[in-house]
Amino acid sequence: MSRRLSMAALAAGPLLLAGCATGETEVPVAMRIANATPAVSVTARGETTPVGTPNADAADDPAIWRNAADPLKSLIVGTDKKAGLYVYGIDGQARDFLDAGRVNNVDLKDGVAISGTTGILVAASDRNDIAHAKIALFRLDPATAKLTALGKLDGGAGEAYGICLGRDEAGLSAFIVLKDGTIHQVLIDASGAAPTGRIVRTMKLGTQSEGCAVDDRTHILYVAEEDVGLWRFDARATGSTTPTKIAAADGRNLVPDAEGVAIAPIGAKDGYVLVSSQGDNAYVVYRLRDDSYVGRFRVVDGTIGGSKETDGIELMLGDFGPAYPGGLFIAQDGHNAAAAQNFKLVAWDDIVKALGPK
């Protein structure tokens, strides 16, 4: 992730110019919004408690586990990329924290064979060693909301950044996105006493990339290349490694940086893929069946504050209780007023209503 504006600049006002880490002058948010395609507004219905690391770019990426039998007991896993992993209830309250160090992105899968039983496997991109990526694996206990560390797998030479999980006929794979745009597909076997994994395939984008998501129905991997756009790959272990561009980060529909990626599957092949348009604090929606542009929205201040400078996002359809009956969208908030960063919770129904018939 490349922060386009400092949080101080955002607090001071949209016309203020801010410098990035290299000291170069950035385009003001107001100018980016003026050049971008209009976005509709929605408000959050909930939020998580702030992460424990104050005064820092710390919260980053969420993952969702839905309890189909009792939606109000669903859980959210979120990263504090300076410290470790949080588990939150659907009410946003922290239920657990595990000191895992510098874990950047996170994803999870239910129904995975883990040490002789079936459970929820959580995978995080581990960059405690920035020269050599690791995949940190954990088990999530839905009854206690506790995480248990299972071990780490080799993710290849380079700095770990994004991660997402997908299944195909070969089994469960983690797609670890390195900071330079390299993507390794790691086939995971967690059924034994300790998890094992091996890199079965490597893909490449040209520049810094992070957010990703896999559609297990169609076996498509979606990856955001921050200053270039949204791409898709064949996610199968035996598939082509050639990417297809879905959308350019041209400053209109998608404003650099393109960050988090999430999927809303509908039916056999339809649905939506969402991307965080960090450069103008918006989120872009594309249709899965034909890669067409659908619309844009922002999470603005309401009873609960809005979200800005978003890195990771996640979306899951289904019943999450009275506040989120049709699905839950979560966005990392990089500018959570005077508090440490957190995650905002938005009803998918509100987004659909705001975007209108599509």
Side-chain angles (χ1 to χ4, degrees):
M1 166 216 56
S2 301
R3 291 292 187 196
R4 290 293 174 179
L5 287 173
S6 68
M7 288 187 285
L10 281 168
L15 294 178
L16 201 60
L17 289 173
C20 67
T22 59
E24 62 191 54
T25 300
E26 296 289 350
V27 178
V29 163
M31 186 178 297
R32 290 192 209 132
I33 292 175
N35 291 335
T37 306
V40 299
S41 297
V42 299
T43 55
R45 295 192 184 188
E47 64 180 330
T48 67
T49 54
V51 298
T53 303
N55 305 315
D57 175 26
D60 195 279
D61 191 48
I64 303 169
W65 174 75
R66 189 175 84 89
N67 187 327
D70 191 346
L72 289 177
K73 292 184 179 178
S74 300
L75 298 171
I76 301 161
V77 180
T79 58
D80 178 337
K81 62 188 176 187
K82 309 292 186 183
L85 288 166
Y86 281 90
V87 181
Y88 304 97
I90 206 70
D91 60 358
Q93 296 301 303
R95 300 280 306 278
D96 187 33
F97 173 75
L98 184 66
D99 182 357
R102 289 164 53 85
V103 286
N104 198 56
N105 279 196
V106 65
D107 200 5
L108 60 82
K109 284 286 186 187
D110 201 350
V112 178
I114 306 173
S115 302
T117 60
T118 300
I120 305 165
L121 184 72
V122 176
S125 54
D126 185 308
R127 56 176 182 175
N128 286 291
D129 178 356
I130 61 172
H132 205 106
K134 298 289 184 182
I135 299 169
L137 297 178
F138 310 85
R139 182 172 192 150
L140 174 62
D141 184 336
T144 64
K146 299 295 184 183
L147 288 165
T148 302
L150 298 174
K152 297 183 181 182
L153 304 178
D154 178 30
E159 184 175 354
Y161 226 38
I163 197 166
C164 51
L165 298 175
R167 285 188 177 108
D168 67 4
E169 60 276 4
L172 178 68
S173 289
F175 296 87
I176 184 160
V177 183
L178 306 186
K179 196 170 185 179
D180 68 354
T182 300
I183 306 155
H184 293 307
Q185 182 172 359
V186 180
L187 196 62
I188 296 174
D189 183 356
S191 62
T196 61
R198 58 188 177 90
I199 297 174
V200 295
R201 201 168 58 126
T202 297
M203 294 155 279
K204 186 71 172 75
L205 294 174
T207 61
Q208 185 166 308
S209 306
E210 183 175 6
C212 68
V214 179
D215 187 341
D216 283 339
R217 304 166 309 161
T218 57
H219 301 300
I220 294 176
L221 166 68
Y222 297 87
V223 185
E225 186 176 2
E226 295 188 0
D227 288 331
V228 178
L230 178 65
W231 299 85
R232 58 179 166 85
F233 290 88
D234 190 327
R236 292 169 294 188
T238 57
S240 168
T241 59
T242 302
T244 299
K245 184 182 282 188
I246 295 171
D250 59 2
R252 296 189 180 277
N253 293 341
L254 185 56
V255 180
D257 295 343
E259 289 283 345
V261 179
I263 292 172
I266 300 173
K269 294 184 178 181
D270 205 2
Y272 306 97
V273 56
L274 283 69
V275 188
S276 170
S277 177
Q278 191 187 81
D280 72 327
N281 304 322
Y283 311 93
V284 193
V285 183
Y286 300 94
R287 192 174 291 279
L288 290 174
R289 68 180 180 218
D290 58 8
D291 302 334
S292 61
Y293 168 77
V294 173
R296 290 161 38 88
F297 67 95
R298 292 192 178 91
V299 182
V300 300
D301 291 345
T303 305
I304 294 168
S307 57
K308 296 183 177 70
E309 293 190 318
T310 295
D311 288 340
I313 60 174
E314 186 57 290
L315 172 61
M316 183 173 286
L317 304 187
D319 180 14
F320 285 88
Y324 315 99
L328 175 62
F329 172 78
I330 303 177
Q332 180 261 0
D333 182 12
H335 185 234
N336 187 32
Q341 295 178 351
N342 72 347
F343 300 91
K344 297 300 192 287
L345 281 57
V346 182
W348 175 242
D349 291 347
D350 291 344
I351 296 170
V352 171
K353 182 179 178 181
L355 289 171
K358 301 295 178 186

